[in-house]
Amino acid sequence: MSCYRGMRVLVTGHTGFKGAWLVSWLLEEGAEVSGLALAPEHGQPSLFEDLGLVDRMTSRIADVRDAGSVLAAVSAFRPQIVFHLAAQALVRRSYAEPLETFATNVMGTANVLEAARRTESVRAVVCVTSDKCYENREWAWGYRESDPLGGKDPYSASKAAAEIIAACYRDGLPGLSHLRVATARGGNVIGGGDWSEDRLIPDLIRAIRAGTPLVLRNPAAVRPWQHVLDLLHGYLRLGERLLAADDGAVGAWNFGPARSNEVTVGHLIARALAAWGGAPIPVHVEPSTLREAGILKLDTAKAEAGLGWRPVLGFDRTLRLTMDWYREYCDRSASARALVEAQINDYRQAASAAAAEEAVS
């Protein structure tokens, strides 16, 4: 990823879980990074703060729903590429706050794209959406980028709408000759440093630390569990191709895990508890009345053929890296920054080795 050395990169949502990991990786690559996001949520740990990123980048606290703030941030920094991660990212919160979800995920995306359109330095935008942007028909096979968009809950609908907004800016608006736009659709991401509410692994870690039961809504649901580094590798590879003015990289892309990572919620929790060790905690099932998908998978053939990207981490390694991170962090045997940087460097070596092996075969 040498193309990012010296590159001016703007990351929206940099104070969040994926955003903090992405900024850390970009800094390792030698990029000059600026961020635009809400402040970290109070009352819970913050990976952004634990990594000390505020002192290592330009951090602007603002809301992507504010078009003026977005344009001011982009115009002032004059990035060459924007990774748009800022979002209301929780399905269950979207039921309680649908207008906030639509405003953030739809109009926030439009505001970022409009600011990029008005700033001639910007050559590429990677808009991060979700695997939940597809019209979910509970298929046993993976969705392809050409499958219909949809969404029966506010979060999923907002991500489908964000895809349509990005396609409009990509294909329909004038004044974009300087700009290439792509969208990235990922699965259920896990990894160290995620403390979000109502997410499986963070809920498990909180239950373990508090000695309280873990409550599951649907242990039989199948999800494409993916380590954050595999997904970020896809974002960075996509951005690299856009910066190279590769028109073939424009459009929508799935980044999902290997088929072995597509397991049930119950299986993931059982393996995570085994990896953590110690006395087991009770697990209770309390079905939700809210609509949630029973099965959801992604087909990544396009990214594999078109970008030369493929997942590096299988299920066992994905889970081990995640649980090792939390254990070492909770035991205070290593700092968050040391853990993140070590895992990034190990992943980069593993990805290079996998690419070399693929080239030989």
Side-chain angles (χ1 to χ4, degrees):
M1 302 287 182
S2 59
C3 78
Y4 291 103
R5 181 166 300 279
M7 189 72 63
R8 295 171 67 82
V9 183
L10 175 67
V11 178
T12 73
H14 68 289
T15 59
F17 162 58
K18 286 194 296 182
W21 274 93
L22 178 57
V23 169
S24 296
W25 193 335
L26 287 165
L27 291 173
E28 289 289 308
E29 297 288 345
E32 181 181 352
V33 185
S34 179
L36 170 69
L38 297 175
E41 292 192 13
H42 294 294
Q44 62 188 27
S46 163
L47 183 61
F48 170 76
E49 292 176 346
D50 285 342
L51 293 174
L53 291 176
V54 71
D55 299 320
R56 302 161 56 201
M57 63 179 295
T58 303
S59 176
R60 182 183 293 233
I61 301 302
D63 194 325
V64 293
R65 292 175 292 183
D66 183 342
S69 293
V70 175
L71 179 58
V74 177
S75 299
F77 185 64
R78 297 189 58 79
Q80 292 153 288
I81 183 170
V82 176
F83 289 95
H84 174 44
L85 279 68
Q88 194 299 94
L90 301 172
V91 173
R92 284 169 63 84
R93 183 185 289 182
S94 78
Y95 281 103
E97 300 289 347
L99 294 183
E100 175 196 358
T101 301
F102 291 130
T104 301
N105 295 353
V106 182
M107 287 308 303
T109 297
N111 290 338
V112 169
L113 287 166
E114 180 64 16
R117 183 170 79 111
R118 297 188 180 191
T119 307
E120 290 189 2
S121 66
V122 183
R123 294 155 46 193
V125 179
V126 175
C127 287
V128 173
T129 64
S130 170
D131 58 346
K132 295 176 182 62
C133 70
Y134 290 106
E135 180 184 341
N136 191 350
R137 302 176 182 177
E138 301 289 341
W139 284 336
W141 53 88
Y143 291 93
R144 296 180 177 180
E145 290 85 349
S146 57
D147 285 326
L149 302 173
K152 294 182 173 64
D153 60 85
Y155 172 80
S156 301
S158 73
K159 288 300 187 178
E163 286 280 349
I164 294 170
I165 293 289
C168 174
Y169 269 86
R170 183 179 67 235
D171 302 327
L173 286 180
L176 285 169
S177 59
H178 67 291
L179 186 64
R180 287 172 173 80
V181 177
T183 58
R185 305 165 178 178
N188 285 55
V189 182
I190 62 175
D194 186 3
W195 300 103
S196 301
E197 63 173 307
D198 208 26
R199 279 191 184 152
L200 198 58
I201 294 296
D203 284 348
L204 173 62
I205 300 300
R206 282 188 283 266
I208 291 172
R209 297 178 76 182
T212 56
L214 172 68
V215 177
L216 301 180
R217 298 189 300 274
N218 186 3
V222 176
R223 297 288 184 269
W225 308 103
Q226 182 175 32
H227 194 273
V228 62
L229 289 174
D230 258 343
L231 184 57
L232 297 184
H233 185 211
Y235 296 171
L236 291 169
R237 179 65 63 85
L238 178 56
E240 181 180 41
R241 294 285 290 276
L242 293 171
L243 286 169
D246 181 355
D247 288 332
V250 169
W253 300 86
N254 286 341
F255 297 105
R259 295 299 298 273
S260 63
N261 291 40
E262 297 169 354
V263 303
T264 66
V265 167
H267 181 76
L268 175 75
I269 288 300
R271 295 289 298 275
L273 284 169
W276 183 270
I281 64 168
V283 178
H284 297 168
V285 177
E286 297 180 6
S288 172
T289 58
L290 301 177
R291 179 184 176 87
E292 292 187 82
I295 186 169
L296 184 59
K297 301 180 181 182
L298 290 177
D299 186 314
T300 62
K302 179 183 174 183
E304 293 176 18
L307 300 176
W309 173 91
R310 54 186 35 81
V312 173
L313 304 174
F315 180 75
D316 289 340
R317 196 170 178 192
T318 293
L319 196 56
R320 186 174 67 253
L321 284 173
T322 301
M323 300 308 290
D324 284 352
W325 195 102
Y326 283 107
R327 185 188 304 104
E328 294 183 41
Y329 176 87
C330 293
D331 291 346
R332 301 189 182 279
S333 57
S335 70
R337 179 172 176 178
L339 290 168
V340 164
E341 290 180 353
Q343 290 195 357
I344 288 172
N345 288 325
D346 288 347
Y347 181 89
R348 291 163 74 188
Q349 293 176 17
S352 295
E357 183 178 341
E358 181 73 17
V360 170
S361 61

